[in-house]
Amino acid sequence: GAVVSQHPSRVICKSGTSVKIECRSLDFQATTMFWYRQFPKQSLMLMATSNEGSKATYEQGVEKDKFLINHASLTLSTLTVTSAHPEDSSFYICSARQGANSYEQYFGPGTRLTVT
Amino acid sequence: DAKTTQPTSMDCAEGRAANLPCNHSTISGNEYVYWYRQIHSQGPQYIIHGLKNNETNEMASLIITEDRKSSTLILPHATLRDTAVYYCIVRFLYNQGGKLIFGQGTELSVKP
C-alpha cells in the first residue's frame, strides 16, 4: 500500500521557538494532504487541508498564522508551528490523498511535539 | 457528512470474533461507511469501507443493515495486536475536499 512518512517522529522545543514537521508521500503523488492534531485520550482533530500549489484551507478555530502549512510539491507538505507554547504540545498526524477522484487516504505515523 | 455513534469501549477475548457496532441513522444515500483503526501512538490505518452491500477483505468484514442506519465491523479472530481505537466514519466517496472527520471511536481491548 501507499506509504506516508513524517519527520521528525518526536521533537522537543522551547517555548517561543518554531518547529517544522515534514510529511512525505513516498510512492505516490499526493494532490491533497491533511493535517490533524490529537491530544492525549482524544480523537483526531482536522486542522487543515492543503492542495499542491495552493493555500491551505484551515478548519474553524485553527490559527493559520500559527500553523503554517506549505504544500510545495506533490510529495511534500510541511507544517510549521510558530512561536510554540506548551499548549501546542500534541501528536500531529498528516494524511495524503492521491488525486481528486481517489477515495483512499493514507496516514503518516505521526509526530510527537513537546514544548517546554 | 453524517454523524456516527459508537460505544466508548469494548473487550474481546483473543481468538474470538470482535463485533464493533456503529450507528449512522442520518446517513444519506450516497454516503459510504468507512472504518479506520489507530493503534496507540500511531497514525490511523484504513480497514474497510462499503455503501450498502456487505464487504470483506483480509482484515475484516463490514455488515451494513438494509436501511443503512447502522453497521458492524467484524474482526473474525481477534488477536492482541488488534487492540486499538476503531473509528467508524460516514462520508461521500468523493466529498468536498475529501476530508475524513473522526469521532470518538471505540477502544477495543483484546485480552488473552
Side-chain angles (χ1 to χ4, degrees):
Chain A
V3 178
V4 175
S5 70
Q6 284 183 239
H7 178 79
S9 57
R10 291 177 178 271
V11 58
I12 300 172
C13 71
K14 291 189 175 182
S15 187
T17 63
S18 295
V19 60
K20 180 185 287 188
I21 301 170
E22 292 186 349
C23 175
R24 293 182 184 272
S25 56
L26 298 186
D27 50 3
F28 67 100
Q29 293 187 325
T31 57
T32 306
M33 285 187 170
F34 307 87
W35 286 95
Y36 293 82
R37 179 168 58 178
Q38 186 175 33
F39 293 110
K41 299 292 185 182
Q42 294 187 23
S43 185
L44 288 80
M45 186 196 79
L46 180 65
M47 299 174 68
T49 302
S50 73
N51 291 296
E52 185 266 338
S54 60
K55 288 185 179 180
T57 302
Y58 290 81
E59 296 297 306
Q60 191 172 9
V62 178
E63 299 175 59
K64 63 180 181 180
D65 294 330
K66 180 167 183 63
F67 299 100
L68 302 179
I69 291 171
N70 185 287
H71 190 169
S73 79
L74 287 171
T75 58
L76 173 65
S77 176
T78 59
L79 168 68
T80 301
V81 183
T82 62
S83 187
H85 291 285
E87 56 265 32
D88 297 324
S89 298
S90 188
F91 193 50
Y92 291 87
I93 304 169
C94 75
S95 175
R97 191 167 65 124
Q98 191 163 4
N101 292 325
S102 172
Y103 61 84
E104 291 201 28
Q105 206 165 308
Y106 305 98
F107 287 83
T111 296
R112 177 76 58 192
L113 169 64
T114 303
V115 184
T116 62
Chain B
D1 295 324
K3 186 173 176 167
T4 62
T5 304
Q6 299 177 251
T8 302
S9 63
M10 293 181 65
D11 289 341
C12 177
E14 187 180 17
R16 304 297 292 269
N19 298 292
L20 293 95
C22 179
N23 285 320
H24 31 78
S25 58
T26 60
I27 192 171
S28 68
N30 295 327
E31 288 183 304
Y32 284 67
V33 180
Y34 282 75
W35 283 85
Y36 282 77
R37 73 179 182 185
Q38 184 181 27
I39 296 170
H40 183 62
S41 293
Q42 297 183 25
Q45 176 189 22
Y46 166 82
I47 302 173
I48 199 167
H49 76 283
L51 181 63
K52 54 184 178 181
N53 296 320
N54 298 336
E55 302 287 344
T56 296
N57 63 20
E58 64 279 3
M59 289 183 69
S61 294
L62 174 60
I63 309 298
I64 303 174
T65 58
E66 192 168 342
D67 63 7
R68 303 209 323 121
K69 294 186 176 182
S70 65
S71 60
T72 302
L73 178 75
I74 301 172
L75 307 178
H77 305 286
T79 70
L80 300 179
R81 288 176 296 178
D82 291 322
T83 292
V85 178
Y86 287 76
Y87 296 98
C88 169
I89 301 170
V90 173
R91 56 166 272 197
F92 294 103
L93 191 61
Y94 305 125
N95 72 334
Q96 183 182 7
K99 297 189 286 189
L100 278 174
I101 306 298
F102 288 79
Q104 292 307 306
T106 296
E107 187 168 7
L108 175 68
S109 297
V110 181
K111 300 182 183 299

